[in-house]
Amino acid sequence: MGNKLTQTELPPKEKQPSFWLPLIAIIIGAFVAILNNSLINVAIPKLMTVFGSTQDKIQWVLTGYMLASGVIIPITGYAGDRLGYKRFFLLALSVFTFGAFLCSIAWSDTTLIIARVIQGLGGGVIMPISMAIIYKIVPRDQIGMALGLWGISAMVAPAIGPTLSGYLIEWFSWRFLFVINIPVALFALFMVSILLKETEVDKTKTFDYMGFFLVATSAATLLYALSNGNSVGWRSFEIVCLLYIAVSTGILLIWVEKGKSNPIIDLDLFKNFTFTLSVVVSSLVTVGLFGGIFLMPIFLQNIQQMSAVDTGLLLMPQAIAMAIMMPISGKLFDKIGVIPLGLVGLTLLSGLSYALHALTIDTPHSWLITILVFRGIGMGLCMMPISTAGMNAVEPRKVGNASSLSNLVRQVAGSMAIAILTMIMQKRASFHGSHIAENITLDNPAIFQVGESSGLSFSTIGSMIQLEATTRGIGDTFWVSSLPLFLCIPLVFLFRKRKEQSFANEK
């Protein structure tokens, strides 16, 4: 029975004789979508200066893209089945490319924000649709290697983005942040159109309008609340209302989607233990990973006064380590499974994330690079195997829905991680600042002696206190971000338990 099931899951070889060239084309398309966002993240101050905009308004260049992508992700499964996954991928990449072109010719902050929303409508579904296509064209016994290669785009693009962005802004123009995507995206469109064969189309599938409205409302309000909660205030009327809408529409979504034949979000997927376990562990790992993605640039640029370009160069070895390990871990996954890779990778990742809590103002870069490289090896070992194990447990006909659901959950987890870690960092920095200031008083003779001997003013001493307090706050936040990673280690063993139960049921 096991052999028969495996054979039915494999794509017909006569329909797709070779998947490597189509896979490369798909990876290029996914890479350019992720790279675009990492280019823009560090360019916000420049854009604010160019357009004479305010911080709050120009931030919508990021927020608009995030909300558009969060709203559009749920339709991945339906659109792929109804239109064909190749056609939908080409449509999404075309919309993304058109949005990039509009961004490159934007003449005001408002037109740039509108263009970014259009870009997000295309770019938001590129990752889930590309993952679904991989499952359509790659045999299951080689899926680990394929997803390992595909995962390089998700890990390497954010690492090279800041460095490339800095060079483009310094030597060319901010418009090249968008222009650079267009030829790469056009090349990916051409490659996919000639190399990838269309998947089966289900023209009888109907669109779930109510489900889409509810999931789009819930996702948009939740993502917006998470991204603005720290700046507006978590107890403000605006954020409380948004969270209420997000939760209430989410509950209503569960009730509406229950028992539907073609739901926009297939919540029955959570009845699959392995898939659910994979989504939970992947979300916890995402929370831990965002500690490094979010905190390390703050430490390097704000504390050690490094430029965006130099920050990107320092983080580059970590990205290279991830890029090397991902296809290796994919190949090993096909042979030994998720548990050994998950245990080794998560142990490295959690332990070294915890080690970063010891950061100081003058932490040497040699130590930091060493820690980050081995942390990158841990990421490369565990990320894709954990995700692949869950997707492999899903029926082939539900792969599109599973891909969109897991990507949506991870996006929410990432936004939640940034919101929580930002709040912790601010509170701990304030705590440390108050604690340090308690020992620095006007009647303390040591303060005057230090000031007279070194020529330091009280304002300079205050700046030093703020730097030290922020550094300690970042260290404390790294400690917190390592906790979900440590929690994932025992959860990995549950993959074996479920595998043994499934084998027993088959017998």
Side-chain angles (χ1 to χ4, degrees), residues 15-226:
K15 291 186 178 181
Q16 192 69 45
S18 175
F19 62 83
W20 291 110
L21 288 178
L23 176 64
I24 292 172
I26 292 167
I27 291 173
I28 293 172
F31 177 82
V32 73
I34 301 175
L35 176 64
N36 176 256
N37 255 6
S38 60
L39 289 173
I40 307 305
N41 285 339
V42 297
I44 292 299
K46 178 68 175 180
L47 295 175
M48 188 165 58
T49 302
V50 168
F51 293 113
S53 183
T54 63
Q55 175 71 36
D56 290 340
K57 185 169 184 181
I58 205 66
Q59 196 66 30
W60 273 95
V61 172
L62 297 175
T63 304
Y65 186 98
M66 176 195 68
L67 294 180
S69 61
V71 166
I72 205 69
I73 284 176
I75 75 166
T76 302
Y78 165 80
D81 292 337
R82 185 67 177 80
L83 302 176
Y85 282 87
K86 174 185 174 179
R87 187 177 292 110
F88 186 47
F89 183 83
L90 292 173
L91 175 63
L93 193 54
S94 298
V95 172
F96 172 84
T97 308
F98 178 65
F101 170 74
L102 293 179
C103 288
S104 69
I105 62 171
W107 57 90
S108 67
D109 50 4
T110 302
T111 55
L112 180 61
I113 291 168
I114 294 173
R116 282 286 287 170
V117 170
I118 295 172
Q119 197 178 22
L121 292 174
V125 295
I126 287 178
M127 287 303 285
I129 196 70
S130 60
M131 177 186 277
I133 290 174
I134 291 173
Y135 271 89
K136 297 287 184 181
I137 66 174
V138 179
R140 289 292 173 104
D141 58 352
Q142 295 179 277
I143 201 71
M145 180 65 173
L147 286 176
L149 292 171
W150 172 80
I152 293 176
S153 61
M155 293 297 175
V156 175
I160 68 174
T163 303
L164 182 58
S165 178
Y167 277 119
L168 290 174
I169 291 174
E170 183 175 351
W171 297 104
F172 296 96
S173 164
W174 66 269
R175 297 185 187 275
F176 279 86
L177 298 173
F178 304 100
V179 172
I180 195 174
N181 297 293
I182 297 174
V184 181
L186 290 175
F187 176 71
L189 283 168
F190 173 73
M191 293 288 287
V192 170
S193 63
I194 63 173
L195 294 175
L196 187 66
K197 293 186 177 180
E198 187 58 274
T199 59
E200 293 183 4
V201 176
D202 182 6
K203 294 186 177 181
T204 63
K205 200 164 188 177
T206 56
F207 188 68
D208 179 11
Y209 290 97
M210 179 57 71
F212 175 71
F213 170 77
L214 291 174
V215 71
T217 303
S218 182
T221 51
L222 179 59
L223 290 171
Y224 182 80
L226 291 173

Side-chain angles (χ1 to χ4, degrees), residues 396-458:
R397 64 185 181 86
K398 292 188 175 184
V399 162
N401 286 325
S403 178
S404 63
L405 181 58
S406 61
N407 274 272
L408 179 61
V409 172
R410 278 197 292 270
Q411 181 166 342
V412 172
S415 298
M416 191 174 296
I418 291 178
I420 294 173
L421 295 177
T422 301
M423 181 175 63
I424 292 173
M425 182 185 68
Q426 291 173 347
K427 288 186 177 297
R428 293 302 296 174
S430 177
F431 168 80
H432 288 298
S434 300
H435 180 70
I436 297 171
E438 287 176 359
N439 299 315
I440 300 178
T441 59
L442 293 176
D443 57 353
N444 189 338
I447 300 304
F448 288 99
Q449 291 176 6
V450 171
E452 291 175 359
S453 62
S454 60
L456 296 177
S457 64
F458 280 104

Side-chain angles (χ1 to χ4, degrees), residues 469-490:
T470 304
T471 303
R472 294 184 185 183
I474 291 173
D476 292 346
T477 311
F478 267 116
W479 182 87
V480 173
S481 71
S482 70
L483 296 180
L485 298 173
F486 280 113
L487 178 62
C488 290
I489 295 176

Side-chain angles (χ1 to χ4, degrees), residues 301-506:
Q301 294 182 41
N302 295 356
I303 304 301
Q304 296 200 334
Q305 304 300 310
M306 294 179 65
S307 66
V309 174
D310 291 335
T311 297
L313 290 174
L314 190 143
L315 297 176
M316 191 71 70
Q318 177 181 237
I320 294 172
M322 283 188 288
I324 293 173
M325 290 310 301
M326 277 199 153
I328 294 175
S329 66
K331 189 70 174 178
L332 291 173
F333 172 84
D334 293 329
K335 294 182 177 180
I336 63 177
V338 64
I339 297 176
L341 297 171
L343 290 177
V344 175
L346 286 170
T347 300
L348 280 173
L349 185 56
S350 57
L352 295 172
S353 295
Y354 175 79
L356 289 172
H357 88 283
L359 288 174
T360 61
I361 293 176
D362 55 353
T363 294
H365 289 173
S366 58
W367 179 86
L368 196 57
I369 291 173
T370 302
I371 293 292
L372 292 177
V373 165
F374 282 97
R375 191 172 180 268
I377 292 173
M379 280 190 246
L381 279 174
C382 69
M383 276 295 290
M384 292 314 299
I386 290 172
S387 177
T388 306
M391 292 294 294
N392 281 357
V394 176
E395 299 176 51
R397 64 185 181 86
K398 292 188 175 184
V399 162
N401 286 325
S403 178
S404 63
L405 181 58
S406 61
N407 274 272
L408 179 61
V409 172
R410 278 197 292 270
Q411 181 166 342
V412 172
S415 298
M416 191 174 296
I418 291 178
I420 294 173
L421 295 177
T422 301
M423 181 175 63
I424 292 173
M425 182 185 68
Q426 291 173 347
K427 288 186 177 297
R428 293 302 296 174
S430 177
F431 168 80
H432 288 298
S434 300
H435 180 70
I436 297 171
E438 287 176 359
N439 299 315
I440 300 178
T441 59
L442 293 176
D443 57 353
N444 189 338
I447 300 304
F448 288 99
Q449 291 176 6
V450 171
E452 291 175 359
S453 62
S454 60
L456 296 177
S457 64
F458 280 104
S459 62
T460 304
I461 294 174
S463 299
M464 293 173 63
I465 293 173
Q466 185 177 8
L467 277 178
E468 179 64 28
T470 304
T471 303
R472 294 184 185 183
I474 291 173
D476 292 346
T477 311
F478 267 116
W479 182 87
V480 173
S481 71
S482 70
L483 296 180
L485 298 173
F486 280 113
L487 178 62
C488 290
I489 295 176
L491 294 180
V492 172
F493 287 103
L494 297 179
F495 284 107
R496 173 180 293 174
K497 181 180 179 182
R498 178 54 52 172
K499 183 177 179 181
E500 291 173 352
Q501 287 181 356
S502 299
F503 179 73
N505 291 337
E506 285 186 13

